[in-house]
């Protein structure tokens, strides 16, 4: 007979256990990292969208966030640094029944993979991108990211960062994304709602999640513990769905404007392919333009 | 899937033959980026794929193109990209990912004069070692070298078959001459072609492990969306596809990735030989170069030297065994290639005591017949 205590632990289940690779736990993320709750919110959102989990795929690049693909019990692909979006584009276009999520870090999606992000948004490929922004390169030990705030310290900015950071929601919106939102790792319910909306929505959807990194970002910037960081992000957060995504860049101490800034309908890449080719293709032959010249 | 219904005898460009071969083999996803002298393949695919319910995407660069064809393959599509030196350089990291994840797909390299931007509109064969070793790490690859538009067609079909059978990216290494020359090409009806499909698992999802197999074998495939909910990664991984950072797991995986090709090399390698059995000198060439060695061979034969001809159709894996066998019987080899000595190094490695003489040319032209005859004479005189 097990004693009370062990019985209790046996009954302790993660609410998302069914959708996680429990045989891979414990995960590699530091305590107080935002990724655990973001992952939970993600799975919750997909569940709320009421889609067949067999038809949901997750593609990640490389980094702490890139490890998400390894923990979800879905068809999941841990690819190369920065290239999750084109991989996901191929996956989605070759099986258009799939719901494809890209979950990766700020460095992965906006530095090395920045070009793919803006072009996927421009094409309005029907994929959903979740960018976990911890303002730093977490996995490699705290180097500067394209999101690191001006004057913040990182291991490659020992005198403080002198580069202007990207405003991620502004970039995604400018490039043509159909859906653009920003939340922090503390906005669990809102996050899940956004994931649900993205799952249901056609076109390129982009979600930025502000996430605490105590191990390298806070340590370099006297940010205290992970909990302190979270509290700070919470206090600085204001929700304003009407904000212009171009006008809400982030810095070290200012407001973190959250919300769903863009939610519009624009023909997707594949819709345009079909409307653009269908009628014309019927008139073509196997060769070029006229069948007499045969090539 | 709608089958390609183009068949018959045509007078077409090599690159068009390549695209048609891909379609005949069942390729329905193409991701690419324009580059001379490969663009005709992308252009042809852009025209033809919509007719066959396939997907064509011109990406923002070759890195994306390569990543996309891996993604498409995991969705179950046969996929292809094509490029030339500069673009292939950009693809290398994701070619490694394709090898590590064991992803069937085809990469066509229409080689031009290199290094760097080199000779965009002219030919070369200087990416042979790049195909072999370009991506970081140890692995085995398959690379096929067509010498004519007809063979470009045949070998592109073959490349798809090999990539499906062995689950890896397979290279078709043509060049600006074969890519742009126009010759007669016979395209058989699709039903008459030998087409090999990757082996899908017959196991139930709960019993399936994505990388479970013997030390020299190819694991059974499951595509996205079929309920298998597997994980795959470029990290060193075990049968479950899970990352495992141990020496044991790494040694096992890297060895299998090599063994699945190396130990089946006999089934993969294709060579063409003429008069090699009693030869004193064997001229080794591949692709377009194999068409320019004949005059030299003829001249030297007339002079009374027994000259054999050996053409590598498969350059990787390299036919080590055959070269070793021949090396024990001949004076030596003359290797003619449009680079400063790449495949020659392999011949040399296997030739042991036989002489190996290189006839190099960096591309943009062809070696003179006299240079080749001279090399044959030198090898005949050696020993
Ligand atoms: C081509 C390449 N360059 C560099 C790296 C090393 N690297 C791994 S993760 C990473 C940065 C990750 O930062 P981010 O995307 O913000 O993810 P995080 O770890 O913060 O979640 C880098 C530079 C790599 N894996 N591949
Ligand atoms: Mg980061």
């Amino acid at each position: 007979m097990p004693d009370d205590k062990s019985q209790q632990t046996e009954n302790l289940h993660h609410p998302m256990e069914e959708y996680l690779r429990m045989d891979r736990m414990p995960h590699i993320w530091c305590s107080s990292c935002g990724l655990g709750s973001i992952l939970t919110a993600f799975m919750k959102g997909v569940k709320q969208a009421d889609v067949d989990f067999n038809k949901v795929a997750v593609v990640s690049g490389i980094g702490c966030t890139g490890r998400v693909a390894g923990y979800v019990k879905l068809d999941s692909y841990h690819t190369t640094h920065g290239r999750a979006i084109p991989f996901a584009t191929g996956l989605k276009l070759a099986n258009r029944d799939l719901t494809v999520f890209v979950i990766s870090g700020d460095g992965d999606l906006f530095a090395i993979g920045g070009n793919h992000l803006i072009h996927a948004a421009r094409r309005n490929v029907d994929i959903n991108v979740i960018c976990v922004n911890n303002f730093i390169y977490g996995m490699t030990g705290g180097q500067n990211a394209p999101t690191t705030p001006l004057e913040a310290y990182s291991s490659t900015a020992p005198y403080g960062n002198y580069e202007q950071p990207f405003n991620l929601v502004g970039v995604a919106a400018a490039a043509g994304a159909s859906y653009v939102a920003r939340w922090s790792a503390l906005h669990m319910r809102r996050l899940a709602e956004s994931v649900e909306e993205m799952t249901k929505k056609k076109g390129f959807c982009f979600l930025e999640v502000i996430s605490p990194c105590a191990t390298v970002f806070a340590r370099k910037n006297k940010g205290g513990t992970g909990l302190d960081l979270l509290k700070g992000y919470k206090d600085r957060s204001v929700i304003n769905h009407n904000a212009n995504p171009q006008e809400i860049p982030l810095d070290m101490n200012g407001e973190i404007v959250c919300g769903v800034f863009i939610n519009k309908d624009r023909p997707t890449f594949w819709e345009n392919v079909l409307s653009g080719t269908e009628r014309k293709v019927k008139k073509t032959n196997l060769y070029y333009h006229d069948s007499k010249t045969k090539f | 899937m709608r089958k390609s219904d183009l068949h018959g005898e045509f007078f077409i460009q090599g690159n068009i033959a390549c695209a048609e071969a891909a379609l005949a083999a069942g390729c329905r996803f193409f991701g690419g980026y324009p580059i001379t002298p490969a663009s005709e393949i992308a252009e042809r695919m852009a025209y033809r794929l919509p007719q066959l319910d396939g997907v064509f995407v011109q990406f923002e660069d070759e890195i994306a193109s390569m990543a996309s064809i891996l993604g498409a393959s995991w969705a179950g599509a046969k996929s292809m990209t094509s490029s030339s030196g500069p673009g292939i350089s950009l693809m290398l990291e994701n070619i490694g990912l394709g090898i590590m994840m064991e992803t069937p797909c085809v990469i066509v390299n229409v080689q031009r004069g290199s290094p760097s931007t080199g000779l965009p509109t002219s030919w070369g064969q200087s990416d042979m070692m790049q195909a072999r070793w370009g991506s970081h790490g140890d692995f085995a690859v398959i690379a096929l070298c067509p010498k004519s538009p007809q063979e470009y067609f045949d070998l592109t079909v073959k490349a798809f078959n090999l990539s499906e059978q062995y689950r890896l990216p397979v290279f078709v290494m043509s060049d600006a001459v074969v890519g742009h020359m126009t010759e007669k090409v016979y395209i058989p009806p699709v039903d008459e072609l030998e087409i090999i499909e990757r082996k899908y698992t017959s196991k139930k999802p709960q019993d399936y492990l994505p990388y479970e197999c013997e030390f020299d074998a190819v694991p059974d495939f499951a595509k996205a969306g079929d309920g298998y909910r597997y994980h795959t990664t470029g990290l060193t991984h075990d049968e479950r596809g899970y990352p495992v950072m141990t020496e044991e797991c790494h040694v096992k995986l890297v060895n299998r990735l090599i063994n699945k090709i190396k130990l089946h090399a006999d089934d993969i390698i294709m060579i063409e030989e003429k008069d090699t059995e009693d030869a004193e000198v064997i001229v080794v060439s591949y692709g377009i170069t194999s068409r320019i060695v004949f005059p030299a061979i003829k001249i030297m034969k007339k002079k009374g030297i027994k000259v054999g001809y050996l053409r590598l159709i498969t350059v990787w894996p390299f036919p080590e065994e055959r070269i070793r066998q021949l090396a024990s019987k001949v004076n030596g080899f003359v290797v003619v290639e449009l680079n400063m000595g790449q495949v020659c190094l392999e011949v040399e490695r296997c030739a042991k005591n036989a002489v190996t003489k290189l006839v190099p040319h960096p591309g943009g032209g062809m070696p003179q017949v006299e240079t080749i005859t001279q090399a044959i004479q030198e090898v005949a005189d050696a020993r």
Side-chain angles (χ1 to χ4, degrees), chain B residues 187-328:
Chain B
I187 301 178
V190 170
D191 297 331
E192 288 172 20
L193 283 170
E194 193 205 0
I195 303 287
I196 297 172
E197 307 287 342
R198 70 193 73 170
K199 190 162 167 272
Y200 282 92
T201 181
S202 52
K203 286 192 174 160
K204 294 200 182 80
Q206 62 268 27
D207 303 325
Y208 176 66
L209 295 176
Y211 293 99
E212 184 181 35
C213 67
E214 293 299 307
F215 73 102
D216 67 336
V218 180
D220 293 349
F221 194 84
K223 68 183 198 299
D226 281 357
Y228 287 87
R229 300 211 212 160
Y230 55 82
H231 179 62
T232 176
T233 172
L235 286 166
T236 294
H237 47 268
D238 63 10
E239 303 76 40
R240 299 169 301 175
Y242 292 178
V244 175
M245 303 291 100
T246 64
E247 178 188 1
E248 188 198 357
C249 186
H250 189 67
V251 169
K252 193 172 157 191
L253 176 60
V254 173
N255 271 296
R256 187 174 61 73
L257 292 177
I258 292 171
N259 287 346
K260 75 174 179 178
I261 305 301
K262 192 176 170 181
L263 303 184
H264 301 277
D266 285 349
D267 299 330
I268 299 169
I269 289 170
M270 295 172 286
I271 32 187
E272 185 194 345
E273 291 182 32
K274 277 194 194 98
D275 308 324
T276 46
E277 284 309 330
D278 62 343
E280 298 163 73
V281 182
I282 294 176
V283 178
V284 178
S285 60
Y286 53 92
I288 188 61
T289 348
S290 62
R291 292 171 72 146
I292 60 146
V293 297
F294 281 114
I297 293 177
K298 211 167 150 190
I299 292 168
M300 296 317 275
K301 271 185 168 168
K302 263 192 196 150
K303 275 195 166 179
I305 301 173
K306 287 180 177 159
V307 189
Y309 162 89
L310 188 148
R311 178 168 74 94
L312 307 168
I313 300 170
T314 317
V315 171
W316 312 123
F318 188 73
E320 299 174 357
E321 279 316 306
R322 185 60 187 151
I323 298 293
R324 284 199 183 105
Q325 271 172 9
L326 293 169
S328 64

Side-chain angles (χ1 to χ4, degrees), chain A residues 105-107 132 134-138:
Chain A
D106 46 314
V132 177
N134 52 10
F135 305 105
I136 202 98
Y137 282 12

Side-chain angles (χ1 to χ4, degrees), chain A residues 64-65 104-108 132-139 145 147 213:
Chain A
C64 297
T65 313
S104 228
D106 46 314
D108 187 271
V132 177
N133 182 2
N134 52 10
F135 305 105
I136 202 98
Y137 282 12
M139 177 66 94
T147 47
C213 171

Side-chain angles (χ1 to χ4, degrees), chain B residues 4-324:
Chain B
S4 173
D5 36 13
L6 182 78
H7 59 89
E9 230 172 47
F10 303 101
F11 188 57
I12 48 174
Q13 204 193 54
N15 281 341
I16 304 287
C18 169
E20 285 301 331
L23 297 167
C27 173
R28 290 297 177 271
F29 186 98
F30 184 94
Y33 190 85
I35 188 167
T36 305
S39 294
E40 295 83 9
I41 301 174
E43 288 164 356
R44 184 73 188 160
M45 294 304 259
Y47 181 74
R48 289 277 281 140
L49 276 169
Q51 297 177 335
L52 299 168
D53 303 328
V55 182
F56 170 88
V57 188
Q58 180 174 321
F59 276 92
E60 52 275 14
D61 58 32
E62 290 84 349
I63 305 177
S65 305
M66 186 60 217
S68 79
I69 69 167
L70 298 181
S73 182
W74 281 100
K78 289 189 185 176
S79 59
M80 178 168 100
T81 189
S82 62
S83 190
S84 192
I88 303 288
S89 290
L90 288 184
M91 291 177 188
L92 290 173
E93 187 193 12
N94 285 308
I95 291 173
L97 180 68
I99 288 165
M100 196 66 153
M101 286 183 164
E102 301 184 66
T103 313
C105 60
V106 171
I107 301 156
V108 183
N109 182 353
V110 191
Q111 295 172 91
R112 60 195 228 181
S114 287
S116 191
T117 312
L119 300 171
T121 56
S122 203
W123 50 88
Q125 292 181 318
S126 46
D127 305 341
M128 298 310 299
M129 280 297 177
Q130 182 196 46
R132 178 66 191 87
W133 297 111
S135 196
H136 56 284
D138 282 318
F139 46 81
V141 294
I142 299 177
L144 312 176
C145 287
K147 63 161 189 178
S148 65
Q150 178 68 58
E151 201 177 51
Y152 209 173
F153 180 94
D154 300 340
L155 292 186
T156 303
V157 173
K158 184 86 185 171
F160 273 97
N161 287 347
L162 291 167
S163 81
E164 292 285 314
Q165 189 178 352
Y166 294 98
R167 279 187 63 175
L168 82 168
V170 171
F171 290 94
V172 177
M173 303 295 287
S174 68
D175 67 274
V177 179
V178 174
H180 284 165
M181 71 165 42
T182 295
E183 280 185 352
K184 190 174 83 178
V185 176
Y186 173 64
I187 301 178
V190 170
D191 297 331
E192 288 172 20
L193 283 170
E194 193 205 0
I195 303 287
I196 297 172
E197 307 287 342
R198 70 193 73 170
K199 190 162 167 272
Y200 282 92
T201 181
S202 52
K203 286 192 174 160
K204 294 200 182 80
Q206 62 268 27
D207 303 325
Y208 176 66
L209 295 176
Y211 293 99
E212 184 181 35
C213 67
E214 293 299 307
F215 73 102
D216 67 336
V218 180
D220 293 349
F221 194 84
K223 68 183 198 299
D226 281 357
Y228 287 87
R229 300 211 212 160
Y230 55 82
H231 179 62
T232 176
T233 172
L235 286 166
T236 294
H237 47 268
D238 63 10
E239 303 76 40
R240 299 169 301 175
Y242 292 178
V244 175
M245 303 291 100
T246 64
E247 178 188 1
E248 188 198 357
C249 186
H250 189 67
V251 169
K252 193 172 157 191
L253 176 60
V254 173
N255 271 296
R256 187 174 61 73
L257 292 177
I258 292 171
N259 287 346
K260 75 174 179 178
I261 305 301
K262 192 176 170 181
L263 303 184
H264 301 277
D266 285 349
D267 299 330
I268 299 169
I269 289 170
M270 295 172 286
I271 32 187
E272 185 194 345
E273 291 182 32
K274 277 194 194 98
D275 308 324
T276 46
E277 284 309 330
D278 62 343
E280 298 163 73
V281 182
I282 294 176
V283 178
V284 178
S285 60
Y286 53 92
I288 188 61
T289 348
S290 62
R291 292 171 72 146
I292 60 146
V293 297
F294 281 114
I297 293 177
K298 211 167 150 190
I299 292 168
M300 296 317 275
K301 271 185 168 168
K302 263 192 196 150
K303 275 195 166 179
I305 301 173
K306 287 180 177 159
V307 189
Y309 162 89
L310 188 148
R311 178 168 74 94
L312 307 168
I313 300 170
T314 317
V315 171
W316 312 123
F318 188 73
E320 299 174 357
E321 279 316 306
R322 185 60 187 151
I323 298 293
R324 284 199 183 105

